[in-house]
Amino acid sequence: MKNVVILFLSLSIFCSCSTTKLNYLNVEGYKISKSEINSMKADNEYLAIRSVQANQLQLVKREKDGVVDRQLIETTLENQNGLVIEDDKPLVIIYHAGTGPKPYHKPHNFGEDWIRNWYGTLDTGLEELDQIKAVYICKELDILQAYQGLVEWKLDPEQIIENTFFDHDYPRSSFVVIGPNGKYISYFGEFEKEQVWEASRLLSSN
């Protein structure tokens, strides 16, 4: 009888948890409908971030711009990672916070050839634009074994890139481009090479 009661209570808790309504929130934190959130996600302007604790799905804007202390970021990256950064060119940072060797989500086979080709093309485009060299920064090195020998990732010193540009964890790459004057364009989540090139072009002329 005791086992039956325990089973009943367990099932009741499971059913209660599984039927708890998920709240959908816009960027400002106001409730919206599921259809509204799906519609707003469709054009890639927003990502929906799930919060298990709050049982909610909230939209966050993917592209942001503003002004930061470039010298502080540049000095921190150079001192902690032994990098040499040219301060008269855009600083391109590819940032990886989570698991998976994917800068964007497409039905590809993400093997060594694909990684070498994708990042090689990205780097070539930046080199042709203004002899720019991208800096590859990650939150944890051990999650990026698939890149070993292909892309040279450096740890995010003092979490300066994460804390300055990316408010949420996301298991894919993001990027930020910072101009010589401190103006920046960041993009959260999956991206295309062309977006990095365009942001670099815009900030090269500022």
Side-chain angles (χ1 to χ4, degrees):
M1 181 63 182
K2 184 177 178 181
N3 290 338
V4 173
V5 172
I6 292 174
L7 178 60
F8 175 76
L9 290 174
S10 299
L11 289 173
S12 297
I13 293 171
F14 173 79
C15 291
S16 175
C17 293
S18 62
T19 57
T20 300
K21 186 178 180 181
L22 185 64
N23 293 313
Y24 301 97
L25 308 177
N26 64 12
V27 175
E28 292 77 25
Y30 295 106
K31 285 187 177 182
I32 58 176
S33 67
K34 182 177 181 180
S35 60
E36 286 176 309
I37 203 170
N38 287 336
S39 176
M40 295 179 75
K41 282 166 50 185
D43 63 0
N44 280 332
E45 185 177 350
Y46 302 95
L47 271 180
I49 301 298
R50 175 73 180 269
S51 172
V52 177
Q53 294 84 353
N55 198 45
Q56 66 187 28
L57 199 65
Q58 181 169 7
L59 290 173
V60 296
K61 194 169 179 60
R62 303 187 72 170
E63 184 173 315
K64 296 181 180 179
D65 59 70
V67 180
V68 292
D69 184 346
R70 165 160 169 161
Q71 187 60 50
L72 174 62
I73 294 172
E74 190 174 305
T75 301
T76 302
L77 292 176
E78 288 182 327
N79 290 345
Q80 298 294 326
N81 287 320
L83 299 171
V84 177
I85 298 170
E86 297 183 72
D87 56 16
D88 61 340
K89 300 181 185 298
L91 171 54
V92 176
I93 299 170
I94 309 300
Y95 176 73
H96 205 303
T99 57
K102 307 171 188 176
Y104 62 98
H105 187 65
K106 297 278 186 178
H108 292 299
N109 174 19
F110 293 93
E112 287 189 6
D113 288 343
W114 185 91
I115 293 172
R116 186 181 292 107
N117 178 68
W118 199 95
Y119 285 91
T121 304
L122 172 64
D123 288 340
T124 299
L126 290 171
E127 183 75 21
E128 292 175 350
L129 179 66
D130 194 18
Q131 295 185 323
I132 300 168
K133 295 186 181 299
V135 176
Y136 293 92
I137 300 296
C138 65
K139 191 170 185 176
E140 300 175 49
L141 284 172
D142 60 355
I143 64 175
L144 297 170
Q145 294 302 314
Y147 291 102
Q148 192 168 3
L150 302 173
V151 180
E152 186 177 1
W153 293 93
K154 301 286 188 180
L155 283 173
D156 185 7
E158 303 171 22
Q159 289 76 53
I160 191 170
I161 303 305
E162 178 183 15
N163 293 337
T164 304
F165 302 106
F166 305 111
D167 300 326
H168 307 275
D169 280 334
Y170 189 67
R172 297 288 184 271
S173 294
S174 302
F175 78 83
V176 59
V177 180
I178 311 170
N181 59 3
K183 290 184 179 180
Y184 75 87
I185 298 172
S186 66
Y187 193 83
F188 180 50
E190 300 97 331
F191 60 87
E192 304 284 353
K193 298 182 290 290
E194 291 78 9
Q195 292 173 276
V196 181
W197 297 334
E198 177 61 13
S200 300
R201 186 188 66 77
L202 289 171
L203 293 175
S204 288
S205 59
N206 287 332

